[in-house]
Amino acid sequence: MATTRDQGWLDAVVAGRDRLERSTTAERVADLLRAQILEGALAPGLRLSEEALGGALGVSRNTLREAFRLLVHERLLVHEYSRGVFVRVLTVDDVVDLYRARRLVECAALRYWPSAPEAATTAVRRAIAEAEAAAADDRWVDVGTANMRFHQAIGGLAGSDRIDAAVAGLLAELRLAFHVMGDPRTFHEPYVAGNRAILELLTAGEVEEAVRRMDRYLVEAEEQLVAGFAHLDTTR
Amino acid sequence: MATTRDQGWLDAVVAGRDRLERSTTAERVADLLRAQILEGALAPGLRLSEEALGGALGVSRNTLREAFRLLVHERLLVHEYSRGVFVRVLTVDDVVDLYRARRLVECAALRYWPSAPEAATTAVRRAIAEAEAAAADDRWVDVGTANMRFHQAIGGLAGSDRIDAAVAGLLAELRLAFHVMGDPRTFHEPYVAGNRAILELLTAGEVEEAVRRMDRYLVEAEEQLVAGFAHLDTTR
DNA sequence: CCCTAAGGATCGTTGAACAATCCTTCAATA
DNA sequence: TATTGAAGGATTGTTCAACGATCCTTAGGG
C-alpha cells in the first residue's frame, strides 16, 4: 500500500497520465478526417471510397471502417447501406435543430455563471479577448475560431464533461454549414461586440438579461445561416 | 411531378420509411449488446472478449470491433488499448456529472412546455399515467421504465432530435448505475407522485416552480445513487 | 424516350495470418 | 517474505485476400 507521504508523488504523476495514452489507428484516422471535414477540405456530399481512402492513407479497409463508425456517430459522416459513407450535407432542418439545441444548452449554461469556478469564467473572458484581438488585426478566420471557443466556454460554465462534449458536437456539426457562408467576416463580426456585451451583463449580475441576449444572438445567427441556405437553393 | 392530390399518399408512405432501412451486422450486434447491458445482463466491469463473443454470436472479429466502436462512443463500453473492451463501470464522479447534465437539459426543456406541440405534452402525460398504473399493480420495474419515458418526454418538449438523443444517452448511461441500486421500488416510487406534481404545476402555468421541483427531484435521485455507491464501497 | 439487361465497381462480411501487447506463472534475488 | 525478472500463452491491433450482395453505369431494344 502507498503511504500517506507517497500521495503527493503519485498525484503529480497521475496528473499527466493522459499523455501516455496510446491511440489506435482507427482513432487517428478519425482525427485526421474530422480535422479535414471541419476545415472544409472535404466538401459535404463527397463520398469517401473505402478503397481509395484506405490506399491513400495506407490503412486497411477494416480499420477505415472503424474510423467511419466513429465519425458517423458524430454525425460528420452519413452512412448509406451498400452505397458508402459521405461527408454530411446539412439541411435547413438540421440547422434549425442545431440552433434549437444550442439555445437550450448555452442559455441554460449561462445561468451557472454566478456559481462557476474561476477557471471556467476565465475561459470565457479569454475567448472574448482573443476574438477582439483577431478582429483588430482583420484575422477573421481566427475570429471565427475564437467565437467557437467562446461558445464552448459558455457550455463549460455548467461544469459537466458531458455538456462540454455535447456542445463540442453541436459546434462541430454546425461547421459543416459555416463553409457555405462565404465571408467569415460578415458572419462573425457582429458577435465580437455581442459576446463582450453578454460578458458585461454577466459581471453586472444581470444573468437573465444575458440569457435573453444570447438567445437573440443565436436566433439571428440561425436566420443568417438559413438565409444562406435559401440563397444556395435559388442560385443553383 | 406529383400532383397536389398525391401529397397525402406520399406523406403517409414516407412516414414509415424508417421501417425499410436495412442495417449492418455491426449495428445489429450493437443493438443486441446495448439491450443486454441496459437490462443488466452484462455486468459493469465485464470484459467482452472478441474471440469468445464473436464465436458466440457468429460474427467475425472485424464486425464485432465495429459494433464495439459504436458502444464505446455511447459510453456504454470502455476501450483499453491492447486490453480489450469492458462494460462501463460508473464512478461517483460519473453519476455527479450525469445528473449535472440532466438538470441542465431537463430543467431547460421544461420551460418549453407552454409552446410545446400537443404531441409532446401528451407524451409526458402518458408516461405519468403509465407509471401510476404500473405502481398500482406493484410492477415496479415497469414504473422504472415509465419514469425513464417521462424524463425522455420532458426532453422532447424542446422539439430537437439532438436534445432527444442527448437525453437518451444520459438516461442509458445512468442505467449502468441503476443496477447497483437493489430495489427498484424504493428508488422509483417517490417520483410517481412527484412527476404528477410537476405536470400539475405545468398545466397551472407555474413553469418556474415546476423547474425548481424537477431540479430538486434530480438532486435527490443523485444523492440516493451516490449513497448507494458509498454503501458499495464500504460493504465490499 | 423509357425500360431492361449486362458488366463492372463498391460495399458487407468473413477467415486467416502475424506482430505487438498483455497477463500469468514461476523461479531467482535481496 | 516480498519484489523483481523472464518465459509462455492468450488476446488485441491490423492487414490481406476472398466472395456474395448491392449498386451504378452503359448499351441496346422496344
Side-chain angles (χ1 to χ4, degrees):
Chain A
M1 283 295 289
T3 70
T4 313
R5 288 201 56 211
D6 289 333
Q7 286 304 93
W9 299 74
L10 290 176
D11 288 354
V13 174
V14 171
R17 75 177 178 290
D18 51 333
R19 233 175 304 177
L20 84 145
E21 265 182 14
R22 290 162 296 184
S23 66
T24 173
T25 306
E27 289 168 35
R28 265 174 284 126
V29 170
D31 289 343
L32 190 272
L33 293 178
R34 187 185 303 110
Q36 305 256 339
I37 292 170
L38 293 186
E39 75 188 25
L42 299 175
L46 179 67
R47 173 163 153 271
L48 303 183
S49 157
E50 292 182 359
E51 187 172 309
L53 189 53
L57 295 178
V59 301
S60 75
R61 280 180 61 211
N62 297 95
T63 299
L64 193 57
R65 286 173 64 89
E66 286 188 36
F68 284 167
R69 289 288 183 188
L70 296 173
L71 295 170
V72 167
H73 208 278
E74 294 175 24
R75 306 196 215 231
L76 296 181
L77 299 179
V78 294
H79 178 165
E80 298 185 20
Y81 192 99
S82 261
R83 293 170 37 86
V85 301
F86 305 78
V87 179
R88 184 100 185 267
V89 179
L90 287 186
T91 66
V92 172
D93 285 348
D94 285 318
V95 174
V96 170
D97 194 271
L98 281 164
Y99 273 96
R100 205 172 282 169
R102 282 188 67 185
R103 285 199 300 274
L104 185 149
V105 174
E106 295 192 35
C107 291
L110 272 184
R111 296 198 170 92
Y112 288 80
W113 174 273
S115 62
E118 201 194 314
T121 59
T122 303
V124 174
R125 293 179 207 275
R126 192 164 43 224
I128 292 174
E130 281 174 16
E132 288 168 340
D137 294 354
D138 276 342
R139 308 193 320 271
W140 298 105
V141 173
D142 293 346
V143 172
T145 69
N147 191 37
M148 294 282 105
R149 238 197 303 273
F150 167 75
H151 287 281
Q152 185 72 59
I154 292 296
L157 293 173
S160 160
D161 288 344
R162 282 163 184 82
I163 293 295
D164 290 350
V167 171
L170 295 174
L171 293 178
E173 250 189 283
L174 270 179
R175 287 180 64 177
L176 289 171
F178 286 167
H179 295 299
V180 312
M181 303 298 289
D183 188 15
R185 172 167 184 170
T186 58
F187 189 65
H188 289 297
E189 186 169 25
Y191 303 107
V192 176
N195 296 342
R196 169 65 69 184
I198 287 176
L199 173 61
E200 284 171 4
L201 285 170
L202 289 173
T203 55
E206 313 219 22
V207 176
E208 285 307 316
E209 180 58 28
V211 169
R212 276 189 291 274
R213 192 73 68 99
M214 174 69 88
D215 194 84
R216 198 173 73 214
Y217 288 162
L218 289 174
V219 168
E220 287 171 9
E222 173 186 345
E223 286 171 353
Q224 211 171 344
L225 261 185
V226 169
F229 269 64
H231 185 258
L232 275 187
D233 287 346
T234 56
T235 320
R236 310 188 179 177
Chain B
M1 283 298 286
T3 69
T4 313
R5 288 202 56 208
D6 289 333
Q7 285 303 93
W9 298 75
L10 290 177
D11 289 352
V13 174
V14 171
R17 75 179 177 288
D18 51 333
R19 232 176 302 176
L20 85 144
E21 266 181 15
R22 290 163 294 182
S23 64
T24 74
T25 305
E27 288 167 30
R28 264 173 286 125
V29 170
D31 289 343
L32 190 272
L33 293 177
R34 187 186 304 111
Q36 304 256 338
I37 292 169
L38 293 186
E39 73 187 26
L42 299 175
L46 179 67
R47 173 162 151 272
L48 302 183
S49 158
E50 292 183 358
E51 186 172 311
L53 190 53
L57 294 179
V59 300
S60 76
R61 280 182 59 215
N62 288 317
T63 299
L64 193 56
R65 286 172 65 87
E66 286 188 37
F68 283 168
R69 289 288 183 191
L70 296 173
L71 294 171
V72 168
H73 209 275
E74 294 175 23
R75 305 198 218 232
L76 296 181
L77 298 179
V78 294
H79 178 171
E80 299 185 21
Y81 193 99
S82 259
R83 293 170 37 87
V85 301
F86 304 79
V87 179
R88 184 100 185 266
V89 179
L90 287 187
T91 66
V92 172
D93 285 348
D94 285 319
V95 173
V96 171
D97 194 271
L98 282 164
Y99 272 96
R100 206 172 282 170
R102 280 187 67 185
R103 284 199 300 274
L104 185 148
V105 174
E106 294 191 36
C107 291
L110 271 184
R111 296 197 170 93
Y112 287 79
W113 175 273
S115 62
E118 201 194 314
T121 58
T122 301
V124 174
R125 293 179 207 275
R126 192 164 43 223
I128 293 175
E130 280 174 16
E132 289 168 340
D137 294 352
D138 278 339
R139 305 193 323 269
W140 298 104
V141 173
D142 292 346
V143 172
T145 67
N147 191 39
M148 294 282 106
R149 235 196 306 272
F150 167 75
H151 288 281
Q152 185 71 58
I154 292 296
L157 293 173
S160 160
D161 289 344
R162 283 162 183 84
I163 293 295
D164 290 350
V167 171
L170 296 173
L171 293 179
E173 251 190 280
L174 269 179
R175 287 180 66 176
L176 289 171
F178 286 169
H179 295 300
V180 313
M181 303 299 290
D183 187 16
R185 173 168 183 171
T186 59
F187 188 66
H188 289 297
E189 186 169 24
Y191 303 106
V192 176
N195 295 342
R196 168 66 68 183
I198 288 177
L199 173 61
E200 283 171 4
L201 285 169
L202 289 172
T203 54
E206 313 219 23
V207 176
E208 286 307 315
E209 180 57 28
V211 169
R212 276 190 291 275
R213 192 72 68 100
M214 174 69 87
D215 194 84
R216 199 173 73 213
Y217 288 162
L218 289 175
V219 168
E220 286 170 9
E222 174 185 346
E223 287 171 354
Q224 211 171 343
L225 260 185
V226 170
F229 269 63
H231 185 258
L232 276 187
D233 288 346
T234 56
T235 319
R236 311 186 179 176

